Amino acid sequence: MKVVTVRDVVELVQSRGLETVLTELAGYLERDFRRWSEFEKAPRYASHSKEGVIELMPTSDGAQFGFKYVNGHPGNGKLGLQTVVAFGVLSDVRSGYPLMLSEMTITTALRTAATSALAARALARPDAKTMAIIGAGAQSEFQAYGFRALMGITRIRVFDVDPAATAKFVANLAGQGFHVTACVSAAEAVMGADIITTVTADKRRAAVLSDNLVGAGVHLNAVGGDCPGKTELQASILNRASVFVEFEEQTRHEGEIQQMDADFPVTELWQVLTGAAPGRRTRDDITLFDSVGFALEDFSALRYLYDEVCQRGLVSTIDLLASPDDPRDLIGLIGRPRIPRSDAA
């Protein structure tokens, strides 16, 4: 069975270039969103605890099946651990055999940024030049690179409640062709921003962004809210915005729209990408991508890795699947059981 390790993904990014990978991955995402009707769709399974959540995210297009195991534990940073870690599997539907086991911690960051930028390209004003990022955790730099790759945005205004996180973001983007402004508040960060990305980790209802900070024509990219009881935006913002989601049934439980009535209107992103529904209608519209992550995105990322890493022979293999010479003779792999001495007498 093929295995894509962290090192394999790092080597892919270093050899192809981060923004090339993000652009190519966005292409896989868009093609899969455009064939939305081919996929099995269901909200992810989530096991919640006071510390965080562990989730399974499966889907299939009838030819291949994919799933991701992922956690979200906001307190892990204090333990020296990642807030999010993940791995995924891509399988052949016809035989049921797994094709590939892959790391998905880095890959999730890549696909999240690519999805955000893909949605913004369809929903934000075409002349958007500046993005505010509120929350400078592990995902923040990927968002910056994703928006530059797909939309040419280089002006970033960043704020995090932890000054060390802001300093980390500034240091990581130094000398990379960005114009970064470190801000001391969310209000300062959104000044003059055409796009606002919120990407915080705390598992609680919060108003990271209040209504008075959102002006006409802004595109909001709410990435951090991803479980019941966790929000980032003041509810009144949603009443002023046209709201777009990945999979409505899941987002009703996990996204910003969990604050709203069950009949609050939303549009699924695939409808905009296929032309089945409009995106931004006027220059002054406020558009909101209420993103919680959906299994199709991980499926797209797994397909991309399979094509770009596995098919190039840049992977290792693992002895994970039993393969007897005779498929009916599984016990033959372990040989005839040794007879206990007491029974042989």
Side-chain angles (χ1 to χ4, degrees), residues 198-202 221-227 230 232 256 291:
T198 56
V199 58
T200 60
D202 283 349
N221 179 41
V223 183
D226 59 0
C227 67
K230 182 189 187 311
E232 296 179 313
E256 298 300 321
S291 176

Side-chain angles (χ1 to χ4, degrees), residues 15-165:
S15 64
R16 309 256 322 138
L18 176 54
E19 291 184 43
T20 297
V21 169
L22 287 165
T23 301
E24 292 174 345
L25 182 50
Y28 274 68
L29 287 160
E30 183 166 10
R31 287 190 291 274
D32 284 344
F33 270 115
R34 286 178 175 272
R35 59 189 187 103
W36 181 261
S37 63
E38 298 178 21
F39 285 87
E40 295 176 353
K41 294 175 282 291
R44 58 184 151 214
Y45 169 80
S47 175
H48 293 277
S49 66
K50 65 180 181 179
E51 293 83 11
V53 61
I54 296 173
E55 301 169 335
L56 296 178
M57 302 172 66
T59 192
S60 172
D61 66 353
Q64 294 177 319
F65 172 88
F67 79 86
K68 182 175 77 174
Y69 168 101
V70 62
N71 78 307
H73 284 63
N76 274 3
K78 298 176 182 178
L79 305 174
L81 302 173
Q82 291 283 311
T83 299
V84 175
V85 294
F87 68 87
V89 173
L90 186 68
S91 298
D92 174 56
V93 167
R94 186 169 52 183
S95 67
Y97 269 50
L99 300 170
M100 178 185 73
L101 171 67
S102 178
E103 91 80 37
M104 287 200 77
T105 305
I106 296 173
T107 302
T108 293
L110 291 167
R111 73 83 159 141
T112 301
T115 303
S116 294
L118 176 65
R121 190 170 65 183
L123 298 171
R125 293 187 308 207
D127 61 350
K129 301 295 184 185
T130 302
M131 178 167 68
I133 296 179
I134 301 175
Q139 172 62 207
S140 57
E141 293 91 351
F142 290 90
Q143 291 285 321
Y145 281 105
F147 275 79
R148 184 168 72 177
L150 270 68
M151 296 189 66
I153 290 177
T154 58
R155 296 189 177 277
I156 309 292
R157 302 175 64 82
V158 61
F159 166 71
D160 193 288
V161 293
D162 180 0

Side-chain angles (χ1 to χ4, degrees), residues 281-302:
R281 296 173 184 269
T282 72
R283 182 173 177 80
D284 289 338
D285 278 353
I286 297 170
T287 53
L288 165 60
F289 181 42
D290 186 3
S291 176
V292 299
F294 182 56
L296 177 146
E297 296 154 27
D298 301 305
F299 182 92
S300 300
L302 286 166

Side-chain angles (χ1 to χ4, degrees), residues 127-295:
D127 61 350
K129 301 295 184 185
T130 302
M131 178 167 68
I133 296 179
I134 301 175
Q139 172 62 207
S140 57
E141 293 91 351
F142 290 90
Q143 291 285 321
Y145 281 105
F147 275 79
R148 184 168 72 177
L150 270 68
M151 296 189 66
I153 290 177
T154 58
R155 296 189 177 277
I156 309 292
R157 302 175 64 82
V158 61
F159 166 71
D160 193 288
V161 293
D162 180 0
T166 300
K168 178 267 304 182
F169 180 92
V170 172
N172 282 339
L173 267 59
Q176 299 300 309
F178 291 95
H179 304 277
V180 179
T181 301
C183 302
V184 298
S185 68
E188 182 185 355
V190 303
M191 291 176 60
D194 305 302
I195 296 170
I196 302 172
T197 289
T198 56
V199 58
T200 60
D202 283 349
K203 190 179 178 182
R204 62 187 179 91
R205 290 191 182 273
V208 173
L209 196 65
S210 57
D211 190 16
N212 64 303
L213 299 180
V214 180
V218 167
H219 173 67
L220 298 167
N221 179 41
V223 183
D226 59 0
C227 67
K230 182 189 187 311
T231 58
E232 296 179 313
L233 306 182
Q234 194 172 43
S236 53
I237 296 175
L238 280 70
N239 286 319
R240 298 170 54 211
S242 297
V243 180
F244 301 84
V245 301
E246 291 135 322
F247 178 47
E248 180 177 350
E249 183 179 350
Q250 179 173 293
T251 310
R252 292 280 179 194
H253 295 290
E254 300 181 356
E256 298 300 321
I257 59 172
Q258 66 184 279
Q259 306 176 73
M260 314 307 285
D261 293 335
D263 59 352
F264 180 79
V266 299
T267 302
E268 290 181 332
L269 180 61
W270 71 269
Q271 295 175 289
V272 178
L273 296 177
T274 60
R280 173 176 294 273
R281 296 173 184 269
T282 72
R283 182 173 177 80
D284 289 338
D285 278 353
I286 297 170
T287 53
L288 165 60
F289 181 42
D290 186 3
S291 176
V292 299
F294 182 56

